[in-house]
Amino acid sequence: MNLRRMRAFGKFSPADKLTTIMPCKVLFVLNLFLFLLQCVRADILCQTLGCLKSAEDIKANMDPGVQPCDNFYKFACGNFLKTSVIPPDRASVSTFSKIEDRLSSQIKTVLEEPQSASGPHIFNLMKKFYATCMDEDTLDKLGVQPMKVIIEQLGGLPVVDGDRWDSSRFSWINTTYKLRDLGFNHNLLINIGAGPDFKNSTRRRLLIDQVDLKPLEDFLREGWRNKNVRAYHSYMVKTAVLFGAPVSRAFRELKDSIDFEITMTKFIVPDQELRNLSYLYNLMSVHTLNKYYPSIPWLEFLNRIIGPKISIDSEELVMVTQPKYMSSIERLVQITPKRILANYMLMQTVLSSSAYLCKSARRPYHDFKYVLTGVNSTRIRSQRCVDEVAEKFSLAVGSLYVRHFFDRTSKENALELVNNLRQEMDYILQNVSWMDPQTKKNALEKSKVLKVHIGYPDELLDDDKIDLHYKDLRIVPGDLLTSVLNLYKKSVDYAYTQLHEPINKTSWKEFGSVATVNAFNHIDKNAIEFPAGILQEPYFAADRPCFLNYGAIGTVIGHEITHTFDDEGSQYDKFGNVMNWWDDESKMRYNEKASCIIKQYSNYVIEDIGFRINGITTQGENIADNGGVKESYRAYLECAKQKNAEYKLPGLENFSDKQMFWISFANVWCTKYRKEAMELLFKNDDHPPAEIRVNGPLSNSYDFARDFQCYSGSKMNPKHKCEVW
Ligand SMILES: [Zn+2]
């Protein structure tokens, strides 16, 4: 599970294509003017740039040979699937990935500019980091030496040192401390973090959770018969050999290390059992931890992890999400030979560092990735380095993006759409027949205080605030690994120092990572977020008819609003606390409706790989997809009503405006996946594949069936339908 309860709109593959930059404000106003002018002149055809571009994309993606009532996704995206070529270094290509590519190349242009005396100092540090990342000559000259030095500090790696390795000097607890001090992931056996108290989200608690072995967790559950597990072994062996281990020893000892991980998966609770949040809420004092799990010196352990700037005493209450896991891991660690534990902990650390070392250290990972995803090409270095910067300096990159590329008028336009969508959610809540009056009142209150964050927080334009956040960060030119570790350490330090600070639910730092093509529902803040990165074409443009914007960004907005009332969102009250505000009878009716969605989606099988969708883990996303498109369609009808008549798109005049809404919706989902990557992608994602995200909700929609005149019983208009909202 994530310690941070946040629902994203989707997961999209990273970027690589160069396109032109966003229009500036002047161009935008001009576009709007031309929109009015051109639409009037052409009488019925919309000839604005936004319309022409959308029409071109929609026509290019569509396969008119497929009947809309048979498979709407293939009708809208069939030609995209036939003609798109997945870049050799990618697992998929999609409408999203194209926007991400554009965004990424925009950021790259700024990172490659010379350092500047104006603007925040952190921009120059980012450029320094980017240059260090790009300097492959230095990385290759250094080889794996920087990591060898660290392995020595950690007490040596048994698989490399052989008999020289001294087990009496090893303790998993001390190794955890050292990893934390150096900036590596210290959550290798127990997952510790600081996050909102589920039941009182104004304060933080220390969270003690099971570890996350994703993305390999489900494969490890299958053991050695799974080819990805065998490839994982080979990846580890190759890496260990690079650090000096003899092949036969590496083969043998790393098999033991993976067996240890396989054993862990036996008691790691799977995602589908983590959806009832009350079960995860177990408050314990440090005293109690000592009593239940006595082999760990808890007070010292936790203080060592969260310190030195902050400390706790034995009365501190911490949240233990999986008490059973804690007992099992404690016992497993006690009975496992130190050599195996050390190989596990240190090899994980080595693997996490290889991306920041020389080419030969990165090669074993590429071989492994090929087995996992079919991707046989390494990423262009500059793209890889832009991704690193975007991930590690997300607030600063957000600031850079809005200063250089974001059309700020989009914010107002998007706010209007959000308000219209919220009205539709309220309408649905007011009119559902299965909810008792009090629960309905509670739901409407929750909806009323839902907070909206659009575009970016103003603080991103404040040089001092941005610089203060990154104060004392040290980037070492020519030393990528140290720079990365400094960044990690700083972000973990920051998270722990916030432990006893009250939570500011509107903090700009929570909503400032805006250079992303995604949208979020922060369920513990009862807030939705539409970052600057998604407020652009093909999701949104001011110079387009209602059906295009509501079909695209409207359904995204509806999706996020509906998360407020999905199976997890509905466990949170209007303050963002896990608290039951449901009458028992209404909750039962809700669960019946959710079960229908679970059953429907569990029946979908990804044909290419024979993979069945997990209806339980995807239910939150599916409820949100179904509600989102319904709300947006209703809001679209309102918008169209106000405009009287809508303009047609060139070449698509034969479709009614209502039909165009559905086409616009499907079009933003066009995605081609590499077949080999699909299992990995969908075992680790709460979102089903694009085809199901389109056909699932539409086959539940009477509006869709009517607009395309799909006969009852056709594939896209089955007699049995599911509806939560
Ligand atoms: Zn979602």
Side-chain angles (χ1 to χ4, degrees):
M1 65 173 287
N2 288 320
L3 294 175
R4 200 163 166 224
R5 310 301 295 183
M6 192 161 99
R7 288 280 160 263
F9 177 61
K11 277 186 190 164
F12 317 119
S13 49
D16 86 333
K17 213 172 130 193
L18 284 161
T19 53
T20 50
I21 59 165
M22 285 278 292
C24 65
K25 194 172 174 179
V26 178
L27 197 57
F28 173 82
V29 174
L30 189 67
N31 278 343
L32 196 60
F33 175 68
L34 289 174
F35 174 53
L36 299 170
L37 194 70
Q38 288 166 349
C39 288
V40 173
R41 266 194 198 152
D43 210 14
I44 56 159
L45 277 191
C46 177
Q47 308 264 21
T48 65
L49 283 178
C51 282
L52 294 176
K53 179 81 185 63
S54 300
E56 203 179 289
D57 288 345
I58 288 172
K59 283 184 287 182
N61 291 344
M62 190 182 275
D63 181 353
V66 177
Q67 289 302 314
C69 297
D70 263 358
N71 184 328
F72 194 72
Y73 175 76
K74 291 221 165 119
F75 163 71
C77 297
N79 211 38
F80 177 94
L81 297 174
K82 282 182 201 158
T83 57
S84 297
V85 178
I86 302 172
D89 60 338
R90 301 295 183 84
S92 65
V93 62
S94 63
T95 313
F96 302 119
S97 65
K98 288 180 181 171
I99 316 173
E100 286 204 320
D101 290 353
R102 184 165 64 205
L103 194 145
S104 180
S105 67
Q106 288 170 332
I107 292 167
K108 177 171 171 276
T109 55
V110 183
L111 291 176
E112 289 179 347
E113 284 169 7
Q115 296 196 13
S116 159
S118 64
H121 172 63
I122 188 65
F123 286 4
N124 288 338
L125 271 192
M126 285 200 296
K127 288 174 185 172
K128 230 192 241 182
F129 179 86
Y130 177 76
T132 300
C133 179
M134 289 297 289
D135 183 3
E136 288 200 274
D137 288 346
T138 301
L139 288 175
D140 286 342
K141 248 179 248 158
L142 292 169
V144 295
Q145 192 55 30
M147 194 56 205
K148 276 189 169 168
V149 174
I150 290 173
I151 293 172
E152 277 313 305
Q153 290 172 29
L154 290 167
L157 179 55
V159 66
V160 171
D161 293 350
D163 293 340
R164 278 187 295 122
W165 188 77
D166 180 0
S167 69
S168 69
R169 288 173 54 216
F170 175 83
S171 107
W172 74 267
I173 291 178
N174 280 332
T175 303
T176 302
Y177 297 161
K178 285 181 196 162
L179 291 174
R180 164 75 176 101
D181 291 344
L182 288 164
F184 285 100
N185 176 19
H186 57 281
N187 289 329
L188 294 173
L189 294 163
I190 301 170
N191 200 350
I192 294 171
D197 182 322
F198 289 0
K199 297 201 173 181
N200 175 5
S201 55
T202 59
R203 61 156 301 161
R204 292 184 180 81
R205 293 236 182 251
L206 268 182
L207 295 152
I208 301 185
D209 194 11
Q210 60 187 8
V211 292
D212 185 352
L213 298 184
K214 290 192 180 69
L216 296 177
E217 195 170 294
D218 280 349
F219 300 127
L220 287 164
R221 284 180 204 283
E222 292 174 25
W224 291 98
R225 69 172 185 274
N226 186 294
K227 74 168 174 33
N228 295 331
V229 173
R230 297 195 298 274
Y232 177 43
H233 180 235
S234 156
Y235 162 40
M236 274 206 192
V237 171
K238 284 182 203 164
T239 305
V241 168
L242 212 62
F243 280 83
V247 177
S248 59
R249 184 160 70 219
F251 192 89
R252 195 177 59 245
E253 292 198 9
L254 296 175
K255 188 176 172 304
D256 293 342
S257 169
I258 291 178
D259 277 334
F260 176 76
E261 288 187 69
I262 291 172
T263 309
M264 282 165 88
T265 63
K266 305 249 186 293
F267 46 79
I268 291 177
V269 182
D271 284 356
Q272 65 183 56
E273 291 166 37
L274 299 175
R275 300 189 76 84
N276 186 331
L277 297 156
S278 298
Y279 291 161
L280 307 179
Y281 190 78
N282 306 287
L283 280 190
M284 291 183 195
S285 69
V286 178
H287 275 310
T288 315
L289 287 174
N290 283 329
K291 201 170 91 192
Y292 287 164
Y293 319 109
S295 71
I296 300 165
W298 283 101
L299 189 62
E300 177 205 294
F301 184 72
L302 292 175
N303 274 324
R304 196 62 181 68
I305 297 293
I306 66 173
K309 286 188 182 149
I310 190 167
S311 66
I312 55 169
D313 61 30
S314 296
E315 304 304 319
E316 178 90 12
L317 293 177
V318 301
M319 255 167 58
V320 181
T321 56
Q322 302 294 341
K324 266 194 187 158
Y325 169 86
M326 293 303 297
S327 306
S328 307
I329 193 75
E330 187 187 28
R331 179 158 166 68
L332 180 65
V333 165
Q334 282 171 333
I335 60 170
T336 301
K338 283 186 175 182
R339 197 171 181 90
I340 294 177
L341 275 183
N343 272 331
Y344 162 70
M345 293 183 82
L346 272 90
M347 276 310 294
Q348 292 305 315
T349 307
V350 169
L351 296 182
S352 73
S353 73
S354 60
Y356 310 109
L357 299 172
C358 58
K359 271 194 210 85
S360 54
R362 300 196 296 267
R363 199 159 297 129
Y365 174 71
H366 290 298
D367 297 347
F368 176 50
K369 196 170 153 198
Y370 176 59
V371 177
L372 238 58
T373 63
V375 173
N376 195 16
S377 174
T378 55
R379 214 139 147 60
I380 294 171
R381 189 70 190 169
S382 61
Q383 290 161 357
R384 159 117 201 122
C385 292
V386 170
D387 288 351
E388 287 290 339
V389 174
E391 186 208 314
K392 295 181 171 59
F393 296 82
S394 66
L395 288 175
V397 169
S399 169
L400 181 150
Y401 179 74
V402 297
R403 287 166 194 238
H404 287 82
F405 305 107
F406 184 56
D407 166 14
R408 293 176 200 177
T409 54
S410 303
K411 204 166 165 170
E412 286 154 39
N413 291 315
L415 183 62
E416 190 190 329
L417 264 93
V418 173
N419 288 337
N420 295 344
L421 264 292
R422 290 181 72 171
Q423 278 179 24
E424 299 307 331
M425 181 79 232
D426 285 352
Y427 176 87
I428 292 170
L429 288 171
Q430 273 153 2
N431 287 282
V432 285
S433 57
W434 49 270
M435 230 178 186
D436 68 287
Q438 184 58 47
T439 306
K440 198 175 271 195
K441 191 167 163 260
N442 296 342
L444 283 162
E445 268 174 27
K446 184 177 181 192
S447 171
K448 196 175 165 192
V449 296
L450 177 69
K451 185 109 179 98
V452 182
H453 299 265
I454 296 180
Y456 63 93
D458 291 338
E459 286 86 346
L460 288 189
L461 303 180
D462 184 327
D463 295 0
D464 294 339
K465 282 197 171 137
I466 291 282
D467 278 339
L468 187 64
H469 179 73
Y470 292 97
K471 191 171 166 261
D472 298 332
L473 172 66
R474 212 167 60 87
I475 296 301
V476 189
D479 188 345
L480 183 59
L481 184 60
T482 303
S483 301
V484 167
L485 291 174
N486 287 348
L487 275 156
Y488 278 142
K489 189 166 184 322
K490 186 164 174 54
S491 81
V492 176
D493 283 347
Y494 175 77
Y496 286 133
T497 54
Q498 298 299 299
L499 178 64
H500 293 142
E501 300 295 323
I503 293 183
N504 171 3
K505 293 200 182 189
T506 56
S507 164
W508 66 276
K509 293 182 185 180
E510 292 288 334
F511 301 95
S513 304
V514 299
T516 178
V517 189
N518 212 333
F520 305 97
N521 185 314
H522 302 252
I523 45 184
D524 54 21
K525 297 182 183 65
N526 195 21
I528 48 178
E529 179 192 2
F530 305 98
I534 200 169
L535 301 179
Q536 57 175 313
E537 287 179 275
Y539 286 102
F540 176 73
D543 64 347
R544 306 192 306 184
C546 300
F547 55 74
L548 282 181
N549 283 336
Y550 280 91
I553 192 77
T555 59
V556 176
I557 295 168
H559 174 100
E560 296 310 333
I561 292 174
T562 313
H563 267 315
T564 311
F565 301 103
D566 73 11
D567 69 307
E568 288 192 340
S570 62
Q571 297 174 50
Y572 286 80
D573 67 9
K574 64 178 175 181
F575 303 110
N577 298 329
V578 173
M579 189 70 70
N580 185 20
W581 47 272
W582 290 73
D583 160 82
D584 288 350
E585 171 84 17
S586 294
K587 190 71 192 187
M588 206 178 72
R589 302 286 291 278
Y590 178 91
N591 289 339
E592 281 166 13
K593 287 173 165 293
S595 295
C596 181
I597 292 276
I598 293 173
K599 240 185 245 163
Q600 177 194 351
Y601 282 80
S602 300
N603 280 328
Y604 290 122
V605 174
I606 306 174
E607 282 169 17
D608 287 345
I609 54 165
F611 178 82
R612 187 173 287 280
I613 298 299
N614 185 329
I616 296 174
T617 54
T618 59
Q619 65 179 302
E621 296 304 330
N622 300 332
I623 290 170
D625 278 346
N626 278 269
V629 75
K630 182 177 166 185
E631 289 145 32
S632 195
Y633 183 77
R634 293 183 52 85
Y636 152 67
L637 292 179
E638 274 305 308
C639 177
K641 215 191 281 171
Q642 284 165 21
K643 296 226 161 143
N644 258 329
E646 288 231 73
Y647 302 100
K648 298 283 183 192
L649 295 193
L652 294 159
E653 298 92 335
N654 291 339
F655 293 104
S656 73
D657 295 352
K658 288 175 182 170
Q659 287 176 329
M660 284 306 300
F661 168 89
W662 304 107
I663 292 171
S664 167
F665 165 64
N667 207 60
V668 292
W669 280 114
C670 297
T671 309
K672 185 170 181 173
Y673 303 101
R674 207 176 276 283
K675 191 177 158 187
E676 303 91 319
M678 291 180 95
E679 196 184 4
L680 178 81
L681 286 175
F682 297 111
K683 273 199 162 156
N684 289 291
D685 195 345
D686 290 343
H687 306 83
E691 179 168 354
I692 296 169
R693 293 193 76 171
V694 171
N695 288 350
L698 299 200
S699 60
N700 286 329
S701 169
Y702 291 103
D703 294 322
F704 167 78
R706 191 191 53 245
D707 292 346
F708 274 93
Q709 295 173 334
C710 297
Y711 69 88
S712 175
S714 61
K715 282 189 186 148
M716 290 303 302
N717 184 18
K719 290 201 167 88
H720 180 70
K721 295 195 186 318
C722 297
E723 178 187 72
V724 175
W725 299 112

